[in-house]
Amino acid sequence: MAETVLSINHLQKKFGKFEALKDITFDVQKGEVFGFIGPNGAGKSTTIRTLLGILRASGGSATIFGKDVWKDAVSIHERLAYVPGDVYLWPNLTGGEIIDLFLKLNHQKHTTHADELIKQFELDPSKKARTYSKGNRQKVALIAAFSTDADLYIFDEPTSGLDPLNEEIFQKNVLALKSQGKSILLSSHILSEVERMCDRIGIIREGRIIETGTLDEMRHLTRTMVTVQTRQTLPDLSGTDDVHNFKRSDDTPNKASFSVDSDKMDKVMQTLAGLEIIGLQSTPPTLEDLFLRYYQKDSKGDGQDEA
Amino acid sequence: MKHSSYQQSGFLTRFNLRRDWFVILVWLVILGGLMASVAFKFNDLYGSKDSISSIVTTLKMPAMVSLFGTFVAKAPYTTADIFASEMMVFMALFMAVMNIYFAVRNTRDEESNGMLELLRAHAIGKQSPLLAATIELFLINLLMGLFYFGGLQISGMHGMTVTGNLLIGAGLATVGFMFGSAALLMAQISDNPRGATMLSYLFLGVTYLVRMITDVQNADLTWWSPFGWVEKLSIYHENNWSPILLMVALTAVLLLLTFYASRHRDVDAGLLATRGGRKRASVFLTGPFSLVMRLDRLSLIVWVLAVIVLGISYGSIFGTVGDIMKTNPLMGKLMGATAVDAANRAIVLKFAALLMIVFAVLVTVPSVQTLLRINGDERKGWLEQIHAKAISRGHIFSSYVAVALIIGTLSMFAAVFGLWLANNSVMDNPLSFARLFRGFIGYLPALYVTLGISIVIIGWLPRFQTVIWALPVYGLISLYFGNLLNLPNWAENLTPYGWINQVPVKAVDWSQVWILLGVAVILFVIGFVGYKRRDLIEN
């Protein structure tokens, strides 16, 4: 392993005075699914378009397969498949024609795999793109991408228009690609999707990558939610540095919930054990907690929240 | 009025006007300014008896009648007579074009880009957006009419009357609104903006051709073409208001049909529904070039057919145009048969030379439309996935350029071919194909240079790309009117169309052809360099 497919180094992009990307650094290894998450307007699509050579970087560097994304766009794209967030298709072509065209543009043929995908996603390829809904346009792009034999797949919020059933089909296909050793860059809002599929995650905010790592690594940096009930009197733990948001239950005595810094768990547990635990529930932080924590960090502006 | 179907129409109209005021202003300044400035210049041009009588002879020639309409004024002629006779058909054409633009843009365009759906979810009536678009169109035409009237009033042209000026304003406003209403109806019939625009131009084209042919053959029959009605106003003479009534009546019928159709259809649907198509791409659809070709296939077919019809129509009046005996029997008798033949031939050739400019400007339109797609398709997001493929920018760019050149070249050829075809059947002594072909070869370089300039703008100033339209519009105005307005040479030479010598009267200037082709190639390259190094336009 450890073959780097995509590598971005301090990438910057300015539109006039506006700095859309300030400092983007991350890389994607061969065979991994990299989740790229961030709120609207954080710079996800701008990053991806720069990677595709559609936009020209103002600073920093980005390479795919070791080649410069601007200069060698064509040879990079030979081995790449892409699905944009908003899929727009020529209104007077049919879905089937567009899928074939996309394949031919990468010198590939319509295979049985493509037919299979059309069936899986339940797309009617004989309709003109004008009559497709957002979800159906997205299916066209997804079918074209999944049936393309590439080494890197880039999906920019690919499931925003899909229903849960089709989302499931999407996830299945991504995992199938992964099992074939393909690399995938997946930008998404849907955190459960990222949580389920991605090996590593990069969080972008206001044009900067603020965190990258595996979900476990990130969890480690944050807190676990604990709900506990003890036989002995439960003291107020909010005084200690390790416990946050301590909140007693209203109806049950000696029951409370709070969050603990993940690396202080051991210490807190020892304290609780002395109080004879009756019930204990600990929930690892979801990606959503992580996400919210990162985004609210600045707006709240309270320093003690810092991990 | 609290009818639930029309609720909030007034609010929507105000909203539309606020959204469109700048575009309306641009049209107002260009068309109103054109009209007013011509009127101001007319006393200098046609103030004297001599100049008037010589231009009247010209305007009575069938060739001029085919372009400007029948000359209906009776002697003694005034400057204003000449003005009305030269301007009405031409301005009516521009008014129709403007109305089609606004009508389709504010109805079917809004519907297909999803705005209508958003609006309809609010507390507004079902017909309100359509009514608002109709009112806006009415107001635009009213404003235009007032502007024309006001401009003429202060121009101080000899021989004009307040009634006549009013009739010009009213006539142009009504004819504009009539074609606008037709376009509103077409927007109900077709389920996409392109189709609606095409149908509207089909209606305009047919009425214009009927007007042209009947004018040359038998002017009474021109009553059968709605476009011909503007000629029947008899401005500054009888000041006949009945054509206005006819136009209003037709407009009312068109609007009734429009609102009826709109009430009985779903959002996004049209009478002509989009049909399904192939499940798999054809073997021909393989890359950017064949893609652009496939996308513009319909445009290519429609344009080639349209200009063939136009060529045939003009060619079919060659017989009448080149008949001095008919227009000027006295002169014909004086000259003798051979001299008459030679004179006839000279007139036809001169007419053909003027038509070549009209054709060249006209076929610029579809070519420029294809070029504008380079940025337009990108802005719509259609190209994003193509750019993510193993296709270089140069490949994509040159595909659009190639298709634009093909459409322009084929259309130009079709126009000349149509001219030759009809001329062959109506003339005793027809012009040879080789002779007319000079016009084709002669004007191609001008067309290519114009496209080259367009490409430079597209590559370097994508935001201002609509400016390109100034070239064909100015080219047409300066050369169509050039002689009649005594425009100085430099004013005619501002666009490449003015650089060409009088083909097919004269032989093709080959050294100029090669130079212009070279210039065109250089412009293509400059444009491409700009396109290659910049960010692509994404929504």
Side-chain angles (χ1 to χ4, degrees), chain B residues 446-463:
Chain B
L447 171 69
Y448 293 168
V449 171
T450 308
L451 296 182
I453 298 170
S454 312
I455 287 168
V456 171
I457 296 173
I458 286 165
W460 290 91
L461 300 166
R463 273 201 224 192

Side-chain angles (χ1 to χ4, degrees), chain B residues 53-381:
Chain B
S53 68
S54 81
I55 190 73
V56 166
T57 332
T58 311
L59 287 175
K60 279 187 172 170
M61 283 166 34
M64 292 294 123
V65 169
S66 73
L67 296 174
F68 296 105
T70 15
F71 188 76
V72 289
K74 305 257 177 340
Y77 307 114
T78 64
T79 310
D81 290 333
I82 311 294
F83 178 82
S85 167
E86 278 184 17
M87 295 299 286
M88 283 310 278
V89 165
F90 196 72
M91 291 307 292
L93 204 56
F94 269 134
M95 288 298 283
V97 169
M98 179 192 79
N99 272 277
I100 292 172
Y101 166 78
F102 277 114
V104 175
R105 194 177 98 117
N106 290 346
T107 55
R108 187 49 79 173
D109 247 356
E110 289 282 279
E111 199 166 329
S112 44
N113 67 26
M115 276 308 292
L116 182 73
E117 196 176 329
L118 276 178
L119 280 176
R120 281 280 294 272
H122 289 89
I124 62 162
K126 279 193 171 59
Q127 302 272 49
S128 302
L130 179 59
L131 183 62
T134 312
I135 296 173
E136 185 187 359
L137 212 55
F138 176 80
L139 291 176
I140 293 172
N141 285 299
L142 184 71
L143 203 63
M144 282 282 183
L146 288 174
F147 212 72
Y148 292 144
F149 172 66
L152 289 171
Q153 278 299 101
I154 54 172
S155 72
M157 208 164 36
H158 299 321
M160 70 176 192
T161 58
V162 179
T163 329
N165 292 347
L166 199 59
L167 195 55
I168 287 185
L172 290 178
T174 337
V175 77
F177 192 51
M178 179 176 73
F179 280 101
S181 304
L184 289 177
L185 178 61
M186 300 311 174
Q188 311 304 315
I189 291 175
S190 169
D191 70 351
N192 63 84
R194 215 170 115 175
T197 307
M198 259 185 224
L199 287 175
S200 307
Y201 275 101
L202 184 70
F203 178 63
L204 175 64
V206 169
T207 54
Y208 183 85
L209 287 181
V210 169
R211 181 246 108 205
M212 185 185 89
I213 293 170
T214 54
D215 267 350
V216 175
Q217 313 290 358
N218 178 359
D220 285 341
L221 295 178
T222 309
W223 282 100
W224 287 103
S225 162
F227 194 94
W229 293 339
V230 278
E231 294 179 48
K232 301 297 181 188
L233 295 167
S234 186
I235 290 158
Y236 301 125
H237 277 268
E238 291 160 35
N239 286 328
N240 187 358
W241 289 83
S242 60
I244 300 239
L245 291 180
L246 271 178
M247 289 194 255
V248 170
L250 179 59
T251 306
V253 172
L254 289 169
L255 286 179
L256 277 176
L257 287 173
T258 304
F259 279 84
Y260 177 83
S262 157
R263 198 162 51 240
H264 291 272
R265 71 178 180 89
D266 294 333
V267 170
D268 280 342
L271 237 69
L272 303 173
T274 300
R275 281 173 299 132
R278 321 172 60 99
K279 278 195 174 172
R280 300 277 307 272
S282 88
V283 285
F284 298 112
L285 184 60
T286 52
F289 174 74
S290 46
L291 171 67
V292 184
M293 212 51 194
R294 166 75 181 73
L295 295 173
D296 274 345
R297 186 177 64 188
L298 188 63
S299 161
L300 176 69
I301 295 170
V302 168
W303 271 94
V304 166
L305 286 180
V307 291
I308 277 203
V309 170
L310 189 71
I312 290 176
S313 312
Y314 276 121
S316 69
I317 59 173
F318 268 17
T320 324
V321 167
D323 193 350
I324 293 194
M325 294 294 278
K326 201 171 156 192
T327 46
N328 202 339
L330 189 69
M331 196 161 101
K333 269 177 204 152
L334 286 173
M335 281 161 60
T338 21
V340 166
D341 268 0
N344 284 348
R345 204 176 166 75
I347 292 177
V348 171
L349 276 172
K350 261 199 122 159
F351 183 49
L354 184 62
L355 289 180
M356 291 303 160
I357 300 174
V358 175
F359 293 157
V361 171
L362 209 58
V363 304
T364 308
V365 175
S367 302
V368 167
Q369 271 172 344
T370 300
L371 289 179
L372 290 179
R373 290 189 75 139
I374 296 174
N375 291 330
D377 287 8
E378 210 163 277
R379 210 169 274 150
K380 288 179 182 138

Side-chain angles (χ1 to χ4, degrees), chain A residues 5 26-37 146 151-155 158 170-188 193-202 213-215:
Chain A
V5 171
F26 67 86
D27 44 42
V28 177
Q29 306 297 328
K30 186 174 161 41
E32 81 172 346
V33 181
F34 188 90
F36 192 33
I37 62 178
F146 281 129
D151 292 322
L152 174 65
Y153 294 78
I154 297 181
F155 300 106
F170 166 76
Q171 295 183 2
K172 215 180 72 196
N173 277 293
V174 171
L175 293 174
L177 290 177
K178 185 183 165 185
S179 68
Q180 294 163 26
K182 312 287 192 184
S183 318
I184 291 135
L185 173 61
L186 170 65
S187 130
S188 183
E193 189 174 278
V194 174
E195 205 161 7
R196 193 175 144 197
M197 294 192 294
C198 296
D199 303 304
R200 288 193 310 132
I201 294 163
T214 64
L215 194 54

